[in-house]
Amino acid sequence: MNRPHSITGTLATAPLFRRPWLRRAIFAGLVLVFGLLALFPREYRAAVSLTPTDPASLGLSSTLGQFGAVGNVFGNQAAVEVSLKVARSEYVRSIVSKQLDLERVLGKSAIATHRWLAREVDVRALRGGIIQFDIKQRDPEFARRIVAAYAQAVREQLAIIARRQTIQKRDILVELVGNASDRLAQAQTAYDNFRLQTRYSSPQAAIYAAGDRIPELEAIIRSKEVQLSSMRQFATDENIRVRQVRAEISSLQEQLSEARSLSPSQRSSVGGVVRQSTQVDKLRRELDIAQSLYDNYKRFLQGTSVEDLTSSANIRVLEPSFVDTARQYNTLPAALALIFLLLGIAIEIYAIRPPLEFRELA
């Protein structure tokens, strides 16, 4: 005689389940027991929701930009991943354990407490960059305090990381500001030495004025020549006034010749003006670059103070710790109750209509 090859057939033909009333009583009892265990003892779900903070949401984006600071030291794309990594870290579990004295409350060792937290507290990322902590416990207040401690520990740890990176950034900027200050001092000294050597209080303006001297001399000479031509109509060249004008014209022509000279050694000549303008432009560019670097590094250094102020605002709490009002079910007993219910129904169907080759077994 062939034996059933299925679990349902094996159970249906077992001696214990051949009697319908006994079989139904056993499965009804199992479903009832596990159904009650799914409801009692009652568990409560506590949760808290967080999200990494955007500087724009704090109204500090313009301030951070003006001072050269960044809103998030981790970058927008990695903010959620970093927050999740910190939330699941052993350091955060240690903070929660110490804050709530879980080793004494649970009666466990430090390692066992860490394992209990890692197993009981669910840390997950939701859509929209939302991070949620939740736990199910029989004591609702205890569960709420655990998720609240998790949220606070994550905020504190992220603030510590942000401040540590700000300190490193500040150290670098202090060094850069010092180097930029030395460079600015050297550039200012070189520029001042050029002013002392050329005796130009404002070198750029003085050089431009020297460049305008040639057309001015030419205009004066032309006016003197017109004056001389007018005087010769009423006086000879031996006249003292005519001789004076001719001497002035001669002197002006010598000055014009010197001004037109291409030799860089002659003062106020074309060559001298070109050489001095090239030198002063070079010194001025170096001074402007040094001043710009110093101002920018100084502004970035000031921005680290703003970063320190906003380091503790790196996480925004969307939902403070709360106890869910929805009824919670014990998952394992509920699953077993459903399994025994389906199995009982399957055995009843098998008993009513067994396969043809096994009807004699029924």
Side-chain angles (χ1 to χ4, degrees), residues 286-334:
E286 176 64 22
L287 181 60
D288 291 341
I289 292 174
Q291 185 69 53
S292 177
L293 288 175
Y294 177 77
D295 292 340
N296 289 335
Y297 289 149
K298 183 179 178 181
R299 180 167 59 89
F300 292 151
L301 183 60
Q302 293 171 344
T304 57
S305 301
V306 181
E307 291 181 4
D308 276 336
L309 294 176
T310 58
S311 61
S312 59
N314 45 53
I315 288 290
R316 178 174 52 186
V317 179
L318 298 180
E319 292 179 304
S321 56
F322 66 95
V323 178
D324 197 348
T325 57
R327 177 74 192 215
Q328 304 298 317
Y329 300 96
N330 298 320
T331 306
L332 181 59

Short mmCIF file of all heavy atoms in Angstrom, two decimals, residues 286-334:
data_model
loop_
_atom_site.label_atom_id
_atom_site.label_comp_id
_atom_site.label_asym_id
_atom_site.label_seq_id
_atom_site.Cartn_x
_atom_site.Cartn_y
_atom_site.Cartn_z
N GLU A 286 51.61 92.24 -7.95
CA GLU A 286 51.99 91.38 -6.84
C GLU A 286 51.31 91.83 -5.55
O GLU A 286 50.85 91.00 -4.75
CB GLU A 286 53.52 91.41 -6.68
CG GLU A 286 54.04 90.61 -5.48
CD GLU A 286 53.77 89.13 -5.59
OE1 GLU A 286 53.55 88.63 -6.72
OE2 GLU A 286 53.75 88.46 -4.54
N LEU A 287 51.22 93.14 -5.36
CA LEU A 287 50.56 93.67 -4.16
C LEU A 287 49.06 93.34 -4.18
O LEU A 287 48.49 92.95 -3.14
CB LEU A 287 50.78 95.18 -4.07
CG LEU A 287 50.17 95.88 -2.85
CD1 LEU A 287 50.76 95.32 -1.57
CD2 LEU A 287 50.41 97.39 -2.93
N ASP A 288 48.43 93.46 -5.34
CA ASP A 288 47.00 93.15 -5.42
C ASP A 288 46.73 91.67 -5.19
O ASP A 288 45.76 91.30 -4.51
CB ASP A 288 46.45 93.56 -6.80
CG ASP A 288 46.42 95.08 -6.98
OD1 ASP A 288 46.47 95.79 -5.94
OD2 ASP A 288 46.38 95.54 -8.14
N ILE A 289 47.60 90.80 -5.77
CA ILE A 289 47.42 89.35 -5.57
C ILE A 289 47.60 88.99 -4.11
O ILE A 289 46.81 88.23 -3.53
CB ILE A 289 48.40 88.57 -6.46
CG1 ILE A 289 48.05 88.74 -7.94
CG2 ILE A 289 48.41 87.09 -6.09
CD1 ILE A 289 49.05 88.13 -8.89
N ALA A 290 48.65 89.55 -3.49
CA ALA A 290 48.90 89.26 -2.08
C ALA A 290 47.74 89.75 -1.21
O ALA A 290 47.31 89.06 -0.27
CB ALA A 290 50.22 89.89 -1.63
N GLN A 291 47.23 90.93 -1.52
CA GLN A 291 46.11 91.47 -0.75
C GLN A 291 44.85 90.63 -0.94
O GLN A 291 44.11 90.36 0.03
CB GLN A 291 45.84 92.92 -1.19
CG GLN A 291 44.77 93.64 -0.37
CD GLN A 291 45.24 93.92 1.03
OE1 GLN A 291 46.30 94.51 1.24
NE2 GLN A 291 44.44 93.51 2.02
N SER A 292 44.61 90.18 -2.17
CA SER A 292 43.43 89.36 -2.44
C SER A 292 43.51 88.02 -1.73
O SER A 292 42.53 87.56 -1.13
CB SER A 292 43.29 89.15 -3.95
OG SER A 292 42.20 88.31 -4.24
N LEU A 293 44.69 87.38 -1.77
CA LEU A 293 44.85 86.10 -1.07
C LEU A 293 44.65 86.27 0.43
O LEU A 293 43.98 85.46 1.08
CB LEU A 293 46.25 85.53 -1.35
CG LEU A 293 46.50 84.98 -2.75
CD1 LEU A 293 47.95 84.55 -2.89
CD2 LEU A 293 45.58 83.80 -3.04
N TYR A 294 45.22 87.32 0.96
CA TYR A 294 45.09 87.56 2.40
C TYR A 294 43.63 87.78 2.78
O TYR A 294 43.14 87.21 3.77
CB TYR A 294 45.94 88.75 2.81
CG TYR A 294 45.81 89.12 4.27
CD1 TYR A 294 46.45 88.38 5.25
CD2 TYR A 294 45.02 90.20 4.65
CE1 TYR A 294 46.33 88.71 6.59
CE2 TYR A 294 44.88 90.53 5.99
CZ TYR A 294 45.53 89.79 6.95
OH TYR A 294 45.39 90.12 8.27
N ASP A 295 42.91 88.58 2.01
CA ASP A 295 41.50 88.86 2.32
C ASP A 295 40.64 87.61 2.21
O ASP A 295 39.77 87.35 3.05
CB ASP A 295 40.97 89.95 1.38
CG ASP A 295 41.61 91.30 1.65
OD1 ASP A 295 42.15 91.50 2.75
OD2 ASP A 295 41.58 92.15 0.73
N ASN A 296 40.88 86.79 1.15
CA ASN A 296 40.08 85.58 0.96
C ASN A 296 40.34 84.56 2.07
O ASN A 296 39.39 83.98 2.63
CB ASN A 296 40.38 84.95 -0.39
CG ASN A 296 39.81 85.77 -1.54
OD1 ASN A 296 38.85 86.50 -1.37
ND2 ASN A 296 40.42 85.66 -2.70
N TYR A 297 41.62 84.33 2.38
CA TYR A 297 41.93 83.37 3.44
C TYR A 297 41.39 83.86 4.79
O TYR A 297 40.92 83.06 5.61
CB TYR A 297 43.44 83.15 3.53
CG TYR A 297 44.02 82.38 2.37
CD1 TYR A 297 45.33 82.62 1.93
CD2 TYR A 297 43.27 81.43 1.69
CE1 TYR A 297 45.86 81.91 0.87
CE2 TYR A 297 43.79 80.73 0.62
CZ TYR A 297 45.10 80.98 0.22
OH TYR A 297 45.63 80.28 -0.83
N LYS A 298 41.45 85.14 5.01
CA LYS A 298 40.93 85.70 6.26
C LYS A 298 39.42 85.51 6.33
O LYS A 298 38.86 85.19 7.38
CB LYS A 298 41.29 87.18 6.35
CG LYS A 298 40.86 87.84 7.66
CD LYS A 298 41.27 89.30 7.68
CE LYS A 298 40.80 89.96 8.97
NZ LYS A 298 41.19 91.40 9.00
N ARG A 299 38.74 85.69 5.19
CA ARG A 299 37.29 85.50 5.16
C ARG A 299 36.92 84.03 5.39
O ARG A 299 35.97 83.72 6.12
CB ARG A 299 36.74 85.96 3.80
CG ARG A 299 35.24 85.83 3.65
CD ARG A 299 34.77 86.60 2.43
NE ARG A 299 35.42 86.11 1.22
CZ ARG A 299 34.95 85.12 0.47
NH1 ARG A 299 33.83 84.51 0.82
NH2 ARG A 299 35.57 84.73 -0.62
N PHE A 300 37.70 83.11 4.78
CA PHE A 300 37.45 81.70 5.01
C PHE A 300 37.70 81.33 6.47
O PHE A 300 36.99 80.49 7.04
CB PHE A 300 38.33 80.84 4.11
CG PHE A 300 37.98 80.95 2.65
CD1 PHE A 300 38.94 80.78 1.67
CD2 PHE A 300 36.69 81.22 2.26
CE1 PHE A 300 38.62 80.89 0.34
CE2 PHE A 300 36.34 81.32 0.93
CZ PHE A 300 37.32 81.16 -0.03
N LEU A 301 38.73 81.94 7.08
CA LEU A 301 39.02 81.69 8.49
C LEU A 301 37.87 82.16 9.36
O LEU A 301 37.50 81.50 10.34
CB LEU A 301 40.32 82.38 8.89
CG LEU A 301 40.81 82.14 10.32
CD1 LEU A 301 41.04 80.65 10.56
CD2 LEU A 301 42.09 82.93 10.58
N GLN A 302 37.29 83.30 9.03
CA GLN A 302 36.12 83.76 9.76
C GLN A 302 34.93 82.81 9.57
O GLN A 302 34.11 82.64 10.47
CB GLN A 302 35.73 85.17 9.31
CG GLN A 302 36.76 86.23 9.69
CD GLN A 302 36.46 87.58 9.05
OE1 GLN A 302 35.67 87.67 8.11
NE2 GLN A 302 37.10 88.63 9.55
N GLY A 303 34.87 82.18 8.37
CA GLY A 303 33.78 81.25 8.11
C GLY A 303 33.81 80.02 8.99
O GLY A 303 32.76 79.41 9.25
N THR A 304 34.99 79.64 9.50
CA THR A 304 35.05 78.48 10.39
C THR A 304 34.31 78.75 11.69
O THR A 304 33.81 77.82 12.33
CB THR A 304 36.51 78.12 10.69
OG1 THR A 304 37.18 79.26 11.27
CG2 THR A 304 37.23 77.71 9.41
N SER A 305 34.24 80.01 12.10
CA SER A 305 33.46 80.34 13.29
C SER A 305 31.97 80.09 13.06
O SER A 305 31.26 79.58 13.94
CB SER A 305 33.68 81.81 13.69
OG SER A 305 35.05 82.06 13.94
N VAL A 306 31.51 80.41 11.85
CA VAL A 306 30.11 80.15 11.51
C VAL A 306 29.87 78.64 11.46
O VAL A 306 28.82 78.15 11.89
CB VAL A 306 29.74 80.82 10.18
CG1 VAL A 306 28.28 80.56 9.83
CG2 VAL A 306 30.01 82.31 10.24
N GLU A 307 30.83 77.89 10.94
CA GLU A 307 30.68 76.44 10.89
C GLU A 307 30.60 75.85 12.29
O GLU A 307 29.86 74.89 12.53
CB GLU A 307 31.84 75.83 10.11
CG GLU A 307 31.80 76.15 8.62
CD GLU A 307 32.96 75.51 7.88
OE1 GLU A 307 33.73 74.77 8.52
OE2 GLU A 307 33.09 75.76 6.68
N ASP A 308 31.38 76.41 13.23
CA ASP A 308 31.30 75.95 14.61
C ASP A 308 29.90 76.19 15.18
O ASP A 308 29.36 75.36 15.91
CB ASP A 308 32.34 76.67 15.48
CG ASP A 308 33.70 76.00 15.40
OD1 ASP A 308 33.74 74.80 15.08
OD2 ASP A 308 34.71 76.67 15.65
N LEU A 309 29.32 77.34 14.85
CA LEU A 309 28.00 77.66 15.37
C LEU A 309 26.93 76.75 14.80
O LEU A 309 25.94 76.43 15.47
CB LEU A 309 27.66 79.13 15.06
CG LEU A 309 28.52 80.19 15.75
CD1 LEU A 309 28.13 81.58 15.27
CD2 LEU A 309 28.40 80.10 17.26
N THR A 310 27.10 76.32 13.55
CA THR A 310 26.08 75.50 12.90
C THR A 310 26.37 74.01 12.97
O THR A 310 25.60 73.21 12.44
CB THR A 310 25.95 75.90 11.41
OG1 THR A 310 27.22 75.73 10.77
CG2 THR A 310 25.51 77.34 11.28
N SER A 311 27.47 73.62 13.62
CA SER A 311 27.82 72.19 13.67
C SER A 311 26.79 71.38 14.44
O SER A 311 26.53 70.22 14.12
CB SER A 311 29.20 72.02 14.32
OG SER A 311 29.21 72.52 15.65
N SER A 312 26.19 71.98 15.48
CA SER A 312 25.19 71.26 16.26
C SER A 312 23.84 71.23 15.58
O SER A 312 22.91 70.57 16.06
CB SER A 312 25.06 71.89 17.65
OG SER A 312 24.69 73.24 17.54
N ALA A 313 23.68 71.97 14.47
CA ALA A 313 22.40 72.00 13.76
C ALA A 313 22.46 71.15 12.50
O ALA A 313 21.81 71.44 11.51
CB ALA A 313 22.03 73.45 13.40
N ASN A 314 23.26 70.07 12.55
CA ASN A 314 23.45 69.25 11.35
C ASN A 314 22.30 68.28 11.11
O ASN A 314 22.17 67.73 10.03
CB ASN A 314 24.76 68.45 11.48
CG ASN A 314 24.90 67.82 12.85
OD1 ASN A 314 24.01 67.14 13.32
ND2 ASN A 314 26.01 68.08 13.50
N ILE A 315 21.46 68.04 12.12
CA ILE A 315 20.33 67.13 12.00
C ILE A 315 19.05 67.86 12.42
O ILE A 315 19.03 68.53 13.45
CB ILE A 315 20.53 65.88 12.88
CG1 ILE A 315 21.62 64.97 12.29
CG2 ILE A 315 19.24 65.09 13.01
CD1 ILE A 315 21.22 64.28 11.00
N ARG A 316 18.04 67.71 11.60
CA ARG A 316 16.75 68.31 11.92
C ARG A 316 15.78 67.20 12.31
O ARG A 316 15.61 66.22 11.59
CB ARG A 316 16.22 69.06 10.70
CG ARG A 316 14.86 69.70 10.91
CD ARG A 316 14.50 70.55 9.71
NE ARG A 316 14.64 69.79 8.47
CZ ARG A 316 14.50 70.33 7.26
NH1 ARG A 316 14.26 71.62 7.15
NH2 ARG A 316 14.62 69.59 6.19
N VAL A 317 15.15 67.35 13.48
CA VAL A 317 14.20 66.36 13.98
C VAL A 317 12.84 66.64 13.33
O VAL A 317 12.23 67.68 13.56
CB VAL A 317 14.09 66.42 15.50
CG1 VAL A 317 13.07 65.39 16.00
CG2 VAL A 317 15.44 66.15 16.14
N LEU A 318 12.36 65.69 12.52
CA LEU A 318 11.06 65.84 11.88
C LEU A 318 9.93 65.41 12.83
O LEU A 318 8.91 66.08 12.95
CB LEU A 318 11.00 64.99 10.60
CG LEU A 318 12.00 65.37 9.50
CD1 LEU A 318 11.82 64.45 8.31
CD2 LEU A 318 11.83 66.82 9.09
N GLU A 319 10.12 64.26 13.47
CA GLU A 319 9.15 63.77 14.44
C GLU A 319 9.89 63.45 15.74
O GLU A 319 10.72 62.54 15.76
CB GLU A 319 8.46 62.50 13.93
CG GLU A 319 7.55 62.70 12.74
CD GLU A 319 6.93 61.40 12.28
OE1 GLU A 319 7.70 60.46 11.99
OE2 GLU A 319 5.70 61.32 12.21
N PRO A 320 9.64 64.18 16.80
CA PRO A 320 10.25 63.81 18.09
C PRO A 320 9.82 62.41 18.49
O PRO A 320 8.86 61.84 17.96
CB PRO A 320 9.68 64.88 19.05
CG PRO A 320 9.24 66.00 18.18
CD PRO A 320 8.80 65.38 16.89
N SER A 321 10.55 61.85 19.43
CA SER A 321 10.27 60.48 19.84
C SER A 321 8.80 60.35 20.28
O SER A 321 8.30 61.14 21.07
CB SER A 321 11.20 60.07 20.98
OG SER A 321 11.08 60.98 22.07
N PHE A 322 8.12 59.34 19.75
CA PHE A 322 6.70 59.13 20.03
C PHE A 322 6.41 57.63 20.08
O PHE A 322 7.18 56.81 19.57
CB PHE A 322 5.82 59.79 18.95
CG PHE A 322 5.95 59.16 17.60
CD1 PHE A 322 5.06 58.18 17.16
CD2 PHE A 322 6.98 59.52 16.73
CE1 PHE A 322 5.19 57.59 15.92
CE2 PHE A 322 7.12 58.94 15.48
CZ PHE A 322 6.22 57.96 15.08
N VAL A 323 5.27 57.31 20.71
CA VAL A 323 4.80 55.93 20.77
C VAL A 323 3.66 55.79 19.77
O VAL A 323 2.67 56.53 19.83
CB VAL A 323 4.33 55.56 22.19
CG1 VAL A 323 3.79 54.13 22.22
CG2 VAL A 323 5.48 55.71 23.18
N ASP A 324 3.80 54.85 18.85
CA ASP A 324 2.80 54.66 17.81
C ASP A 324 1.48 54.18 18.43
O ASP A 324 1.45 53.26 19.26
CB ASP A 324 3.32 53.62 16.80
CG ASP A 324 2.54 53.66 15.50
OD1 ASP A 324 1.47 54.31 15.47
OD2 ASP A 324 2.99 53.04 14.53
N THR A 325 0.38 54.84 18.02
CA THR A 325 -0.93 54.47 18.56
C THR A 325 -1.52 53.24 17.88
O THR A 325 -2.49 52.67 18.39
CB THR A 325 -1.91 55.65 18.39
OG1 THR A 325 -1.98 56.02 17.00
CG2 THR A 325 -1.45 56.85 19.20
N ALA A 326 -0.97 52.83 16.75
CA ALA A 326 -1.49 51.65 16.05
C ALA A 326 -1.18 50.38 16.86
O ALA A 326 -0.15 50.29 17.53
CB ALA A 326 -0.88 51.54 14.67
N ARG A 327 -2.09 49.42 16.81
CA ARG A 327 -1.92 48.17 17.53
C ARG A 327 -0.75 47.39 16.94
O ARG A 327 -0.64 47.22 15.72
CB ARG A 327 -3.19 47.32 17.45
CG ARG A 327 -3.07 45.96 18.13
CD ARG A 327 -3.11 46.06 19.62
NE ARG A 327 -2.73 44.82 20.29
CZ ARG A 327 -3.26 44.40 21.43
NH1 ARG A 327 -4.20 45.11 22.02
NH2 ARG A 327 -2.85 43.28 21.99
N GLN A 328 0.16 46.94 17.78
CA GLN A 328 1.31 46.17 17.35
C GLN A 328 1.07 44.69 17.65
O GLN A 328 0.49 44.33 18.68
CB GLN A 328 2.58 46.65 18.08
CG GLN A 328 2.85 48.13 17.92
CD GLN A 328 3.08 48.53 16.47
OE1 GLN A 328 3.78 47.83 15.74
NE2 GLN A 328 2.49 49.65 16.06
N TYR A 329 1.52 43.84 16.75
CA TYR A 329 1.34 42.40 16.89
C TYR A 329 2.70 41.73 17.01
O TYR A 329 3.68 42.13 16.35
CB TYR A 329 0.58 41.82 15.70
CG TYR A 329 -0.80 42.42 15.53
CD1 TYR A 329 -1.00 43.49 14.65
CD2 TYR A 329 -1.88 41.93 16.24
CE1 TYR A 329 -2.26 44.04 14.49
CE2 TYR A 329 -3.15 42.47 16.09
CZ TYR A 329 -3.33 43.53 15.21
OH TYR A 329 -4.58 44.08 15.07
N ASN A 330 2.74 40.67 17.83
CA ASN A 330 3.96 39.87 17.94
C ASN A 330 4.09 39.03 16.67
O ASN A 330 3.23 38.18 16.38
CB ASN A 330 3.91 38.98 19.17
CG ASN A 330 3.83 39.79 20.45
OD1 ASN A 330 4.48 40.82 20.56
ND2 ASN A 330 3.01 39.34 21.39
N THR A 331 5.10 39.29 15.93
CA THR A 331 5.20 38.74 14.58
C THR A 331 5.30 37.22 14.56
O THR A 331 4.56 36.55 13.81
CB THR A 331 6.43 39.34 13.87
OG1 THR A 331 6.36 40.75 13.92
CG2 THR A 331 6.48 38.90 12.41
N LEU A 332 6.18 36.65 15.38
CA LEU A 332 6.39 35.20 15.34
C LEU A 332 5.13 34.42 15.75
O LEU A 332 4.71 33.50 15.02
CB LEU A 332 7.57 34.83 16.22
CG LEU A 332 7.94 33.34 16.26
CD1 LEU A 332 8.26 32.83 14.86
CD2 LEU A 332 9.12 33.09 17.20
N PRO A 333 4.46 34.72 16.88
CA PRO A 333 3.22 33.97 17.20
C PRO A 333 2.13 34.18 16.16
O PRO A 333 1.38 33.25 15.85
CB PRO A 333 2.81 34.57 18.56
CG PRO A 333 4.07 35.10 19.14
CD PRO A 333 4.86 35.60 17.97
N ALA A 334 2.04 35.40 15.59
CA ALA A 334 1.03 35.64 14.56
C ALA A 334 1.31 34.78 13.33
O ALA A 334 0.39 34.22 12.72
CB ALA A 334 1.01 37.12 14.18
#
